[in-house]
Amino acid sequence: MERLDEYLEFAKEIAKYAGSIMLKYFKQNNGASYKGDKTIVTLADTEINTYLINRVKEKYPTHSVDGEEEQFGKSDYVWVCDPVDGTAMYARHIPVATFSLALVIKGEPKVGVIYDPFTDNLYTAIKEKGAYKNNEKINVNNFELGDIRSVSNFEMWSVAPYNIYDIVKDLGKKEYLVNIGSIIRSCLCVGLGEFTCSIFPGTEHKNCDIAAVKVIVEEAGGKVTDLFGNEQRYDKSINGAVISNGKVHNEIIEIIKKYLTNSK
């Protein structure tokens, strides 16, 4: 029997510490700089990532860490982490960033924790045990695309491997679309029933963005696949992601397939 409850408590401890680091740097010079791929990294990103690796080495030395800024070891048990998702907003002192951590076992996320330090909201899930916000169960909505209450999110940037511009134009004919600056925060909105869908074209090392989302949103009743509706591993790079309430998932995938060809 997996020690999933124990792993969840460990992940929650890491999340709360990470949140304190995010808040520490938020209102001061956060040391923002640009990496080779032209994305921003801050002192909070690197400090949190290093802290996670040190804690995993102490507590679970046979496990490995796949952090967005730093990695450690190789194992079937991988702690997949995005220390600060929404770094571009965070570096500009706009409070939408989140911390994300998942335990991925043989490619499948089994435990997921996401923390929003600005609202002190902790989102947690264990596979087959439901998803929670501060220990209260959460659920996706049951809206159709085009429902006047429905809002969906998309991520798009100039060097993204998949260009979803035409998809956004097509989907925008019926759906109110936004980009809030953090893919993970938008996926929480799906899990909470606030958003209906989020579309993410990221691939290389972007498992760090979606691993915890996978277990939390699906335990809230939603669905998470790659851009073409396929299941995928979360201990390596992914093939984009569609995160939805489940009800609209196939319709979203069909729109995507009109404009994109699966490159994997």
Side-chain angles (χ1 to χ4, degrees):
M1 182 65 182
E2 299 289 358
R3 298 148 55 186
L4 298 184
D5 290 316
E6 175 191 322
Y7 296 142
L8 177 63
E9 291 306 310
F10 175 75
K12 286 162 65 175
E13 290 174 16
I14 300 293
K16 285 301 182 84
Y17 179 83
S20 70
I21 298 300
M22 289 173 69
L23 291 175
K24 179 178 78 171
Y25 287 115
F26 183 67
K27 292 184 179 180
Q28 57 178 283
N29 183 345
N30 50 43
S33 61
Y34 287 87
K35 296 185 286 187
D37 62 0
K38 299 182 180 179
T39 58
I40 294 179
V41 63
T42 71
L43 293 171
D45 292 89
T46 53
E47 190 168 321
I48 292 167
N49 207 140
T50 299
Y51 176 78
L52 171 64
I53 288 175
N54 290 337
R55 286 295 311 278
V56 170
K57 283 180 176 178
E58 292 169 4
K59 184 90 173 176
Y60 304 113
T62 62
H63 294 191
S64 58
V65 173
D66 186 1
E68 190 163 77
E69 309 307 329
E70 187 181 355
Q71 297 77 45
F72 156 74
K74 189 171 182 179
S75 169
D76 285 339
Y77 287 65
V78 189
W79 293 93
V80 178
C81 177
D82 192 341
V84 181
D85 181 67
T87 314
M89 299 295 105
Y90 179 79
R92 292 167 173 82
H93 312 288
I94 301 169
V96 296
T98 58
F99 166 83
S100 175
L101 180 62
L103 177 61
V104 177
I105 302 175
K106 296 181 179 178
E108 182 180 9
K110 295 286 192 177
V111 173
V113 168
I114 298 171
Y115 185 49
D116 176 355
F118 305 107
T119 59
D120 193 24
N121 286 324
L122 183 67
Y123 303 84
T124 61
I126 293 176
K127 182 76 172 176
E128 298 181 356
K129 290 191 175 182
Y132 299 86
K133 171 187 174 183
N134 300 332
N135 298 316
E136 293 188 7
K137 204 166 189 317
I138 60 172
N139 294 283
V140 299
N141 66 41
N142 65 349
F143 301 159
E144 302 276 5
L145 293 179
D147 188 309
I148 194 170
R149 300 165 293 176
S150 184
V151 177
S152 290
N153 182 85
F154 67 94
E155 292 278 319
M156 192 160 61
W157 60 97
S158 61
V159 295
Y162 289 107
N163 185 338
I164 65 169
Y165 180 69
D166 289 331
I167 295 161
V168 171
K169 284 202 300 182
D170 193 329
L171 186 57
K173 294 173 184 176
K174 62 170 70 176
E175 185 76 355
Y176 181 45
L177 295 174
V178 299
N179 181 336
I180 63 173
S182 164
I183 182 59
I184 293 175
R185 188 67 189 81
S186 77
C187 294
L188 288 176
C189 291
V190 175
L192 290 162
E194 298 165 346
F195 286 4
T196 300
C197 176
S198 192
I199 301 172
F200 182 59
T203 57
E204 190 66 29
H205 210 204
K206 295 300 185 180
N207 55 311
C208 295
D209 296 72
I210 307 298
V213 162
K214 170 74 171 174
V215 62
I216 291 173
V217 171
E218 292 200 339
E219 287 302 308
K223 188 170 183 178
V224 180
T225 68
D226 76 1
L227 278 173
F228 304 92
N230 304 308
E231 291 296 329
Q232 56 188 338
R233 296 182 69 99
Y234 291 89
D235 54 1
K236 62 181 183 178
S237 293
I238 59 172
N239 196 27
V242 174
I243 303 93
S244 83
N245 65 358
K247 192 169 187 177
V248 304
H249 206 87
N250 290 341
E251 189 175 354
I252 295 286
I253 297 298
E254 289 308 307
I255 292 172
I256 289 171
K257 287 180 177 179
K258 284 166 59 178
Y259 301 101
L260 293 182
T261 300
N262 191 345
S263 65
K264 289 191 177 182

